[in-house]
PDB file of all heavy atoms in Angstrom:
ATOM      1  N   GLU A 276      17.745   1.753   5.325  1.00 97.00           N
ATOM      2  CA  GLU A 276      18.261   0.417   5.020  1.00 97.00           C
ATOM      3  C   GLU A 276      17.124  -0.596   5.128  1.00 97.00           C
ATOM      4  O   GLU A 276      17.074  -1.400   6.064  1.00 97.00           O
ATOM      5  CB  GLU A 276      19.385   0.052   5.992  1.00 97.00           C
ATOM      6  CG  GLU A 276      20.603   0.961   5.923  1.00 97.00           C
ATOM      7  CD  GLU A 276      20.428   2.299   6.616  1.00 97.00           C
ATOM      8  OE1 GLU A 276      19.421   2.470   7.330  1.00 97.00           O
ATOM      9  OE2 GLU A 276      21.275   3.175   6.436  1.00 97.00           O
ATOM     10  N   GLN A 277      16.197  -0.509   4.228  1.00 97.00           N
ATOM     11  CA  GLN A 277      15.058  -1.419   4.272  1.00 97.00           C
ATOM     12  C   GLN A 277      14.558  -1.656   2.847  1.00 97.00           C
ATOM     13  O   GLN A 277      14.368  -0.706   2.093  1.00 97.00           O
ATOM     14  CB  GLN A 277      13.933  -0.777   5.094  1.00 97.00           C
ATOM     15  CG  GLN A 277      12.707  -1.642   5.159  1.00 97.00           C
ATOM     16  CD  GLN A 277      11.502  -0.905   5.743  1.00 97.00           C
ATOM     17  OE1 GLN A 277      11.467   0.317   5.806  1.00 97.00           O
ATOM     18  NE2 GLN A 277      10.523  -1.671   6.158  1.00 97.00           N
ATOM     19  N   ILE A 278      14.342  -2.901   2.503  1.00 97.00           N
ATOM     20  CA  ILE A 278      13.818  -3.205   1.166  1.00 97.00           C
ATOM     21  C   ILE A 278      12.682  -4.225   1.284  1.00 97.00           C
ATOM     22  O   ILE A 278      12.853  -5.283   1.901  1.00 97.00           O
ATOM     23  CB  ILE A 278      14.915  -3.754   0.226  1.00 97.00           C
ATOM     24  CG1 ILE A 278      16.086  -2.759   0.121  1.00 97.00           C
ATOM     25  CG2 ILE A 278      14.344  -4.028  -1.167  1.00 97.00           C
ATOM     26  CD1 ILE A 278      17.194  -3.180  -0.811  1.00 97.00           C
ATOM     27  N   HIS A 279      11.540  -3.860   0.716  1.00 97.00           N
ATOM     28  CA  HIS A 279      10.428  -4.796   0.641  1.00 97.00           C
ATOM     29  C   HIS A 279      10.547  -5.511  -0.701  1.00 97.00           C
ATOM     30  O   HIS A 279      10.429  -4.881  -1.752  1.00 97.00           O
ATOM     31  CB  HIS A 279       9.100  -4.048   0.764  1.00 97.00           C
ATOM     32  CG  HIS A 279       7.917  -4.978   0.821  1.00 97.00           C
ATOM     33  ND1 HIS A 279       7.749  -5.885   1.826  1.00 97.00           N
ATOM     34  CD2 HIS A 279       6.863  -5.143  -0.005  1.00 97.00           C
ATOM     35  CE1 HIS A 279       6.636  -6.578   1.621  1.00 97.00           C
ATOM     36  NE2 HIS A 279       6.076  -6.150   0.509  1.00 97.00           N
ATOM     37  N   LEU A 280      10.807  -6.805  -0.641  1.00 98.00           N
ATOM     38  CA  LEU A 280      11.143  -7.556  -1.856  1.00 98.00           C
ATOM     39  C   LEU A 280      10.287  -8.826  -1.930  1.00 98.00           C
ATOM     40  O   LEU A 280      10.714  -9.909  -1.548  1.00 98.00           O
ATOM     41  CB  LEU A 280      12.646  -7.900  -1.779  1.00 98.00           C
ATOM     42  CG  LEU A 280      13.353  -8.321  -3.039  1.00 98.00           C
ATOM     43  CD1 LEU A 280      13.333  -7.221  -4.083  1.00 98.00           C
ATOM     44  CD2 LEU A 280      14.805  -8.706  -2.724  1.00 98.00           C
ATOM     45  N   PRO A 281       9.044  -8.675  -2.412  1.00 98.00           N
ATOM     46  CA  PRO A 281       8.129  -9.822  -2.405  1.00 98.00           C
ATOM     47  C   PRO A 281       8.667 -10.989  -3.228  1.00 98.00           C
ATOM     48  O   PRO A 281       9.005 -10.822  -4.394  1.00 98.00           O
ATOM     49  CB  PRO A 281       6.855  -9.256  -3.053  1.00 98.00           C
ATOM     50  CG  PRO A 281       6.932  -7.794  -2.803  1.00 98.00           C
ATOM     51  CD  PRO A 281       8.394  -7.459  -2.917  1.00 98.00           C
ATOM     52  N   VAL A 282       8.744 -12.147  -2.584  1.00 98.00           N
ATOM     53  CA  VAL A 282       9.278 -13.319  -3.285  1.00 98.00           C
ATOM     54  C   VAL A 282       8.151 -14.195  -3.827  1.00 98.00           C
ATOM     55  O   VAL A 282       8.301 -14.876  -4.822  1.00 98.00           O
ATOM     56  CB  VAL A 282      10.244 -14.109  -2.378  1.00 98.00           C
ATOM     57  CG1 VAL A 282       9.517 -14.793  -1.230  1.00 98.00           C
ATOM     58  CG2 VAL A 282      11.009 -15.145  -3.182  1.00 98.00           C
ATOM     59  N   GLN A 283       7.041 -14.234  -3.116  1.00 98.00           N
ATOM     60  CA  GLN A 283       5.817 -14.986  -3.473  1.00 98.00           C
ATOM     61  C   GLN A 283       5.952 -16.494  -3.295  1.00 98.00           C
ATOM     62  O   GLN A 283       5.063 -17.130  -2.742  1.00 98.00           O
ATOM     63  CB  GLN A 283       5.312 -14.670  -4.896  1.00 98.00           C
ATOM     64  CG  GLN A 283       5.246 -13.190  -5.266  1.00 98.00           C
ATOM     65  CD  GLN A 283       4.318 -12.347  -4.394  1.00 98.00           C
ATOM     66  OE1 GLN A 283       3.653 -12.834  -3.499  1.00 98.00           O
ATOM     67  NE2 GLN A 283       4.265 -11.043  -4.648  1.00 98.00           N
ATOM     68  N   SER A 284       7.058 -17.087  -3.775  1.00 98.00           N
ATOM     69  CA  SER A 284       7.243 -18.532  -3.618  1.00 98.00           C
ATOM     70  C   SER A 284       8.733 -18.849  -3.716  1.00 98.00           C
ATOM     71  O   SER A 284       9.496 -18.085  -4.305  1.00 98.00           O
ATOM     72  CB  SER A 284       6.494 -19.279  -4.719  1.00 98.00           C
ATOM     73  OG  SER A 284       6.873 -20.645  -4.725  1.00 98.00           O
ATOM     74  N   GLY A 285       9.118 -20.011  -3.151  1.00 98.00           N
ATOM     75  CA  GLY A 285      10.516 -20.436  -3.264  1.00 98.00           C
ATOM     76  C   GLY A 285      10.707 -21.530  -4.293  1.00 98.00           C
ATOM     77  O   GLY A 285      11.799 -22.055  -4.459  1.00 98.00           O
ATOM     78  N   SER A 286       9.639 -21.889  -4.984  1.00 98.00           N
ATOM     79  CA  SER A 286       9.728 -22.971  -5.971  1.00 98.00           C
ATOM     80  C   SER A 286       9.835 -22.400  -7.383  1.00 98.00           C
ATOM     81  O   SER A 286       8.984 -21.612  -7.809  1.00 98.00           O
ATOM     82  CB  SER A 286       8.486 -23.855  -5.861  1.00 98.00           C
ATOM     83  OG  SER A 286       8.184 -24.433  -7.110  1.00 98.00           O
ATOM     84  N   ASP A 287      10.851 -22.825  -8.113  1.00 98.00           N
ATOM     85  CA  ASP A 287      11.028 -22.325  -9.489  1.00 98.00           C
ATOM     86  C   ASP A 287       9.826 -22.652 -10.365  1.00 98.00           C
ATOM     87  O   ASP A 287       9.427 -21.853 -11.207  1.00 98.00           O
ATOM     88  CB  ASP A 287      12.294 -22.930 -10.114  1.00 98.00           C
ATOM     89  CG  ASP A 287      13.553 -22.350  -9.488  1.00 98.00           C
ATOM     90  OD1 ASP A 287      13.432 -21.336  -8.771  1.00 98.00           O
ATOM     91  OD2 ASP A 287      14.640 -22.909  -9.703  1.00 98.00           O
ATOM     92  N   LYS A 288       9.268 -23.845 -10.142  1.00 98.00           N
ATOM     93  CA  LYS A 288       8.117 -24.247 -10.953  1.00 98.00           C
ATOM     94  C   LYS A 288       6.942 -23.272 -10.713  1.00 98.00           C
ATOM     95  O   LYS A 288       6.310 -22.794 -11.665  1.00 98.00           O
ATOM     96  CB  LYS A 288       7.707 -25.675 -10.569  1.00 98.00           C
ATOM     97  CG  LYS A 288       6.505 -26.207 -11.327  1.00 98.00           C
ATOM     98  CD  LYS A 288       6.010 -27.528 -10.734  1.00 98.00           C
ATOM     99  CE  LYS A 288       4.855 -27.286  -9.779  1.00 98.00           C
ATOM    100  NZ  LYS A 288       4.507 -28.423  -8.951  1.00 98.00           N
ATOM    101  N   ILE A 289       6.693 -22.962  -9.451  1.00 98.00           N
ATOM    102  CA  ILE A 289       5.572 -22.073  -9.125  1.00 98.00           C
ATOM    103  C   ILE A 289       5.872 -20.638  -9.574  1.00 98.00           C
ATOM    104  O   ILE A 289       5.006 -19.945 -10.116  1.00 98.00           O
ATOM    105  CB  ILE A 289       5.257 -22.137  -7.608  1.00 98.00           C
ATOM    106  CG1 ILE A 289       4.792 -23.547  -7.230  1.00 98.00           C
ATOM    107  CG2 ILE A 289       4.214 -21.098  -7.197  1.00 98.00           C
ATOM    108  CD1 ILE A 289       3.504 -24.005  -7.898  1.00 98.00           C
ATOM    109  N   LEU A 290       7.118 -20.198  -9.385  1.00 98.00           N
ATOM    110  CA  LEU A 290       7.471 -18.834  -9.811  1.00 98.00           C
ATOM    111  C   LEU A 290       7.221 -18.669 -11.309  1.00 98.00           C
ATOM    112  O   LEU A 290       6.754 -17.620 -11.758  1.00 98.00           O
ATOM    113  CB  LEU A 290       8.939 -18.534  -9.475  1.00 98.00           C
ATOM    114  CG  LEU A 290       9.234 -18.312  -7.990  1.00 98.00           C
ATOM    115  CD1 LEU A 290      10.744 -18.278  -7.732  1.00 98.00           C
ATOM    116  CD2 LEU A 290       8.595 -16.999  -7.506  1.00 98.00           C
ATOM    117  N   LYS A 291       7.518 -19.715 -12.050  1.00 98.00           N
ATOM    118  CA  LYS A 291       7.300 -19.677 -13.497  1.00 98.00           C
ATOM    119  C   LYS A 291       5.795 -19.573 -13.796  1.00 98.00           C
ATOM    120  O   LYS A 291       5.366 -18.740 -14.612  1.00 98.00           O
ATOM    121  CB  LYS A 291       7.884 -20.930 -14.138  1.00 98.00           C
ATOM    122  CG  LYS A 291       8.064 -20.817 -15.613  1.00 98.00           C
ATOM    123  CD  LYS A 291       9.093 -21.837 -16.106  1.00 98.00           C
ATOM    124  CE  LYS A 291       9.543 -21.490 -17.453  1.00 98.00           C
ATOM    125  NZ  LYS A 291       9.253 -21.499 -18.580  1.00 98.00           N
ATOM    126  N   LYS A 292       5.013 -20.404 -13.101  1.00 98.00           N
ATOM    127  CA  LYS A 292       3.563 -20.358 -13.320  1.00 98.00           C
ATOM    128  C   LYS A 292       2.957 -19.032 -12.861  1.00 98.00           C
ATOM    129  O   LYS A 292       1.906 -18.616 -13.328  1.00 98.00           O
ATOM    130  CB  LYS A 292       2.882 -21.520 -12.571  1.00 98.00           C
ATOM    131  CG  LYS A 292       3.136 -22.878 -13.203  1.00 98.00           C
ATOM    132  CD  LYS A 292       2.478 -24.006 -12.418  1.00 98.00           C
ATOM    133  CE  LYS A 292       0.987 -24.070 -12.722  1.00 98.00           C
ATOM    134  NZ  LYS A 292       0.322 -25.184 -12.009  1.00 98.00           N
ATOM    135  N   MET A 293       3.639 -18.385 -11.930  1.00 98.00           N
ATOM    136  CA  MET A 293       3.174 -17.076 -11.456  1.00 98.00           C
ATOM    137  C   MET A 293       3.570 -15.945 -12.413  1.00 98.00           C
ATOM    138  O   MET A 293       3.163 -14.807 -12.215  1.00 98.00           O
ATOM    139  CB  MET A 293       3.766 -16.760 -10.072  1.00 98.00           C
ATOM    140  CG  MET A 293       3.192 -17.548  -8.923  1.00 98.00           C
ATOM    141  SD  MET A 293       4.074 -17.106  -7.406  1.00 98.00           S
ATOM    142  CE  MET A 293       2.896 -17.636  -6.157  1.00 98.00           C
ATOM    143  N   ASN A 294       4.451 -16.255 -13.378  1.00 98.00           N
ATOM    144  CA  ASN A 294       4.962 -15.243 -14.309  1.00 98.00           C
ATOM    145  C   ASN A 294       5.829 -14.202 -13.610  1.00 98.00           C
ATOM    146  O   ASN A 294       5.753 -13.010 -13.880  1.00 98.00           O
ATOM    147  CB  ASN A 294       3.793 -14.539 -15.025  1.00 98.00           C
ATOM    148  CG  ASN A 294       4.241 -13.732 -16.230  1.00 98.00           C
ATOM    149  OD1 ASN A 294       5.220 -14.086 -16.880  1.00 98.00           O
ATOM    150  ND2 ASN A 294       3.543 -12.643 -16.515  1.00 98.00           N
ATOM    151  N   ARG A 295       6.689 -14.679 -12.697  1.00 98.00           N
ATOM    152  CA  ARG A 295       7.489 -13.742 -11.907  1.00 98.00           C
ATOM    153  C   ARG A 295       8.858 -13.432 -12.543  1.00 98.00           C
ATOM    154  O   ARG A 295       9.539 -12.491 -12.106  1.00 98.00           O
ATOM    155  CB  ARG A 295       7.689 -14.274 -10.484  1.00 98.00           C
ATOM    156  CG  ARG A 295       6.421 -14.330  -9.653  1.00 98.00           C
ATOM    157  CD  ARG A 295       5.916 -12.952  -9.241  1.00 98.00           C
ATOM    158  NE  ARG A 295       6.779 -12.300  -8.285  1.00 98.00           N
ATOM    159  CZ  ARG A 295       6.548 -11.074  -7.804  1.00 98.00           C
ATOM    160  NH1 ARG A 295       5.499 -10.364  -8.205  1.00 98.00           N
ATOM    161  NH2 ARG A 295       7.365 -10.531  -6.929  1.00 98.00           N
ATOM    162  N   HIS A 296       9.322 -14.222 -13.492  1.00 97.00           N
ATOM    163  CA  HIS A 296      10.583 -13.942 -14.211  1.00 97.00           C
ATOM    164  C   HIS A 296      11.838 -13.947 -13.342  1.00 97.00           C
ATOM    165  O   HIS A 296      12.762 -13.161 -13.582  1.00 97.00           O
ATOM    166  CB  HIS A 296      10.500 -12.585 -14.950  1.00 97.00           C
ATOM    167  CG  HIS A 296       9.452 -12.564 -16.010  1.00 97.00           C
ATOM    168  ND1 HIS A 296       9.626 -13.137 -17.238  1.00 97.00           N
ATOM    169  CD2 HIS A 296       8.197 -12.050 -16.010  1.00 97.00           C
ATOM    170  CE1 HIS A 296       8.531 -12.975 -17.953  1.00 97.00           C
ATOM    171  NE2 HIS A 296       7.644 -12.321 -17.218  1.00 97.00           N
ATOM    172  N   TYR A 297      11.879 -14.765 -12.292  1.00 98.00           N
ATOM    173  CA  TYR A 297      13.147 -15.007 -11.587  1.00 98.00           C
ATOM    174  C   TYR A 297      13.075 -16.394 -10.969  1.00 98.00           C
ATOM    175  O   TYR A 297      11.991 -16.984 -10.887  1.00 98.00           O
ATOM    176  CB  TYR A 297      13.438 -13.947 -10.503  1.00 98.00           C
ATOM    177  CG  TYR A 297      12.324 -13.763  -9.495  1.00 98.00           C
ATOM    178  CD1 TYR A 297      12.230 -14.570  -8.363  1.00 98.00           C
ATOM    179  CD2 TYR A 297      11.364 -12.776  -9.662  1.00 98.00           C
ATOM    180  CE1 TYR A 297      11.198 -14.404  -7.451  1.00 98.00           C
ATOM    181  CE2 TYR A 297      10.331 -12.603  -8.753  1.00 98.00           C
ATOM    182  CZ  TYR A 297      10.259 -13.431  -7.644  1.00 98.00           C
ATOM    183  OH  TYR A 297       9.246 -13.267  -6.756  1.00 98.00           O
TER     184      TYR A 297
END
Side-chain angles (χ1 to χ4, degrees):
E276 298 78 10
Q277 179 191 18
I278 303 182
H279 185 62
L280 197 62
V282 69
Q283 313 299 358
S284 169
S286 151
D287 289 347
K288 179 190 97 193
I289 296 297
L290 287 170
K291 196 159 196 284
K292 288 179 78 178
M293 287 177 160
N294 194 31
R295 293 289 291 179
H296 297 282
Y297 54 86

